[in-house]
Amino acid sequence: VSELSSEFFDFSVDNLEFTLNTKLNLLPKDKLDNTSSAAIRITKDNRFIYISTRGADLLTVISLENEPEIIQQINSGGMHPRDFILSEDEQYLLVVNKDTDDMSSFQLDKTNGKIVKLINTDKVPHAIGIIL
């Protein structure tokens, strides 16, 4: 993922030769200014990638089941998502948002990788990272 262009790139490597397979723009047309992608997480089974994008305040879900494709984009539950993490059982996603000083928790659907719903948002002043 390119931080400044907010693009996702999928490459294959053979004998140290890189081939670009897929390039996806992570930004909706109405959110092209003053954004940057931040954290990236992949599920243990390598089926789904989650990406946060600051400025656009988005969480993006990419399916890797066939060709990489964006299957969902939702609001991060606050402004300027700095970091996020998947729970150990990958049933939840927790994200800290810098400009709203909060942490939001989301329920995940493990079968299709999508973020099902926002569960809770609590104040967490000055949070920049999250670990379990």
Side-chain angles (χ1 to χ4, degrees):
V1 172
S2 174
E3 178 183 14
L4 298 180
S5 71
S6 295
E7 293 172 299
F8 170 86
F9 300 93
D10 171 43
F11 289 92
S12 56
V13 182
D14 183 26
N15 260 353
L16 298 178
E17 298 258 341
F18 293 88
T19 303
L20 177 62
N21 299 320
T22 307
K23 176 179 156 185
L24 300 172
N25 183 350
L26 301 176
L27 298 175
K29 289 180 174 50
D30 64 336
K31 303 222 181 215
L32 295 177
D33 295 329
N34 201 21
T35 62
S36 58
S37 293
I40 307 159
R41 304 288 180 257
I42 190 166
T43 55
K44 294 174 190 173
D45 60 9
N46 297 316
R47 292 175 53 215
F48 305 102
I49 291 178
Y50 299 85
I51 301 166
S52 64
T53 303
R54 302 174 290 221
D57 306 326
L58 287 175
L59 297 171
T60 298
V61 184
I62 295 175
S63 172
L64 300 175
E65 301 221 87
N66 297 306
E67 292 296 316
E69 69 172 320
I70 295 172
I71 58 170
Q72 184 182 32
Q73 288 189 305
I74 68 162
N75 184 277
S76 67
M79 293 173 55
H80 200 97
R82 288 287 300 241
D83 194 17
F84 70 91
I85 195 162
L86 302 174
S87 64
E88 187 65 32
D89 60 7
E90 297 182 341
Q91 293 187 46
Y92 302 97
L93 182 150
L94 306 171
V95 58
V96 290
N97 296 290
K98 175 184 159 282
D99 290 350
T100 46
D101 285 331
D102 58 28
M103 178 176 70
S104 297
S105 58
F106 294 88
Q107 182 181 1
L108 301 177
D109 183 329
K110 287 181 69 167
T111 59
N112 65 19
K114 291 186 177 181
I115 299 169
V116 178
K117 66 180 177 180
L118 174 66
I119 297 171
N120 192 31
T121 299
D122 285 314
K123 285 293 181 191
V124 181
H126 311 293
I128 60 168
I130 187 167
I131 58 171
L132 290 178

